[in-house]
């Protein structure tokens, strides 16, 4: 598509007014005007200079926002929870734009999570064909063996298929207590992947933290804190997704 134009429903969704699906309903229902004229055709292209009104409200183009957040454990990676548990967006209630998590971390996993209102960026970063390295530190209840490290580095077979080669580094091991602290870098984002990889080898993951995504780290943040990403960081991550290198 011509980069200077975008679909009407996308412009409305990007403004934060409503979701893309609801925007489509509003368009079909004749509630949307472009330059003063009602438009009911889905997929109508609009330019940045076109004036869009929804239910009589003028839609402003929203600035893009990217946040790097240190998710604590016991927080859901979502924008709402039907059981009333804390969700990641609870930490950003004072931000006026609607932001969404990029990918997910388990309830019991802490660490680096990006949130943004940029749907295109989210799709780019989370697309299975883009292999951004994500580094985790895991505490295992057992003594990880050298052959098992090798197996992880080659790839192991989980229920949903073979894992891609991982980078694995043992940081600390205690023979008496039978514990291992290990860093593992994976390039995929399958559900509970790191836990499942270690469970497959017979280890329980007692603690899991994501410490790095591409070049981004948790440096300077405490659990529950976030900061706005710099334009350079956003650009670097986009570049990494598209070209596989910084
Ligand atoms: N792998 C997991 O097992 N859990 C996460 O939260 C992220 C990766």
């Amino acid at each position: 598509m011509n980069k200077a134009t975008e679909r009407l429903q996308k412009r409305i969704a990007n403004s934060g007014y409503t979701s893309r699906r609801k925007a489509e309903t509003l368009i079909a229902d004749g509630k949307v005007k472009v330059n003063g004229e009602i438009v009911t055709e889905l997929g109508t292209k609009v330019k940045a200079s076109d004036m869009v009104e929804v239910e009589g409200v003028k839609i402003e183009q929203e600035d893009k926002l990217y946040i790097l957040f240190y998710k604590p454990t016991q927080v859901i990676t979502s924008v709402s929870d039907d059981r009333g548990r804390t969700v990641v967006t609870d930490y950003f209630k004072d931000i006026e734009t609607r932001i969404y998590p990029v990918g997910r971390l388990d309830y019991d996993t802490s660490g680096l999570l990006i949130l943004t209102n940029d749907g295109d960026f989210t799709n780019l970063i989370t697309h299975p064909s883009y292999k951004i390295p994500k580094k985790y530190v895991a505490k295992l209840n057992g003594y990880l063996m050298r052959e098992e490290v090798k197996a992880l580095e080659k790839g192991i077979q989980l229920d949903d298929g073979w894992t891609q080669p991982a980078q694995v580094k043992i940081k600390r091991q205690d023979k008496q207590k039978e514990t291992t602290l290990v860093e593992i870098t994976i390039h995929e984002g399958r559900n509970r992947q790191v836990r499942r990889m270690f469970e497959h080898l017979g280890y329980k993951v007692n603690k899991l933290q994501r410490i790095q995504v591409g070049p981004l780290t948790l440096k300077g943040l405490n659990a529950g804190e976030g900061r706005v990403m710099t334009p350079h960081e956003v650009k670097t991550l986009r570049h990494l997704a598209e070209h596989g290198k910084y």
Side-chain angles (χ1 to χ4, degrees):
M1 196 199 302
N2 178 351
K3 285 223 159 81
T5 66
E6 64 182 341
R7 288 170 195 273
L8 184 53
Q9 54 266 44
K10 191 166 168 216
R11 162 80 67 88
I12 297 167
N14 281 348
S15 75
Y17 186 89
T18 187
S19 68
R20 199 181 297 198
R21 191 157 307 155
K22 290 213 182 98
E24 288 173 356
T25 309
L26 289 166
I27 295 168
D29 289 349
K31 303 267 174 60
V32 176
K33 284 185 187 169
V34 177
N35 300 326
E37 303 278 335
I38 291 179
V39 170
T40 54
E41 196 186 326
L42 294 180
T44 298
K45 309 270 175 61
V46 287
K47 299 189 293 294
S49 56
D50 287 329
M51 207 259 280
V52 177
E53 281 168 275
V54 182
E55 299 178 308
V57 178
K58 191 172 160 210
I59 292 299
E60 303 290 346
Q61 299 248 47
E62 199 177 43
D63 287 339
K64 300 283 185 252
L65 181 66
Y66 308 86
I67 289 173
L68 196 156
F69 177 51
Y70 184 163
K71 178 186 126 31
T73 57
Q74 265 115 66
V75 175
I76 305 268
T77 305
S78 179
V79 296
S80 66
D81 180 53
D82 50 13
R83 287 160 60 187
R85 291 170 298 181
T86 305
V87 296
V88 288
T89 46
D90 286 344
Y91 289 83
F92 301 99
K93 282 189 171 147
D94 51 346
I95 290 180
E96 290 194 355
T97 172
R98 287 187 206 207
I99 51 172
Y100 301 87
V102 179
R104 66 184 292 279
L105 289 177
D106 300 332
Y107 185 64
D108 287 323
T109 302
S110 65
L112 200 161
L113 183 74
I114 295 168
L115 296 110
T116 183
N117 57 357
D118 184 344
D120 291 336
F121 180 83
T122 302
N123 292 340
L124 182 66
I125 302 298
T126 54
H127 194 278
S129 68
Y130 299 119
K131 300 189 170 33
I132 296 193
K134 292 168 276 278
K135 191 189 273 186
Y136 297 83
V137 54
K139 195 169 175 196
L140 312 179
N141 73 333
Y143 201 85
L144 190 67
M145 308 298 282
R146 189 172 281 272
E147 315 82 78
E148 294 167 326
V149 169
K150 289 239 169 69
L152 292 165
E153 285 171 343
K154 268 172 82 178
I156 54 172
Q157 194 171 21
L158 299 178
D159 291 349
D160 53 356
W162 286 85
T163 59
Q164 307 250 329
Q167 282 85 55
V168 183
K169 199 171 178 186
I170 292 176
K171 301 297 283 182
R172 210 179 313 139
Q173 286 192 295
D174 189 322
K175 252 204 171 110
Q176 244 98 57
K177 288 193 198 145
E178 291 216 13
T179 55
T180 299
L181 194 69
V182 58
E183 268 181 14
I184 179 163
T185 303
I186 60 170
H187 301 75
E188 308 154 273
R190 298 195 230 159
N191 196 24
R192 295 178 67 81
Q193 182 168 341
V194 174
R195 289 177 196 273
R196 289 192 293 129
M197 286 167 83
F198 287 116
E199 279 162 13
H200 177 85
L201 298 171
Y203 299 97
K204 188 168 175 287
V205 176
N206 284 331
K207 224 172 171 185
L208 185 63
Q209 183 177 51
R210 181 153 72 190
I211 57 171
Q212 198 167 343
V213 174
L216 304 175
T217 69
L218 291 169
K219 193 167 161 236
L221 294 176
N222 294 309
E225 289 178 352
R227 67 165 176 86
V228 174
M229 284 167 59
T230 65
H232 181 254
E233 287 172 329
V234 176
K235 200 169 142 207
T236 306
L237 221 52
R238 230 189 229 126
H239 192 270
L240 182 59
E242 284 169 342
H243 304 284
K245 55 181 192 286
Y246 304 166

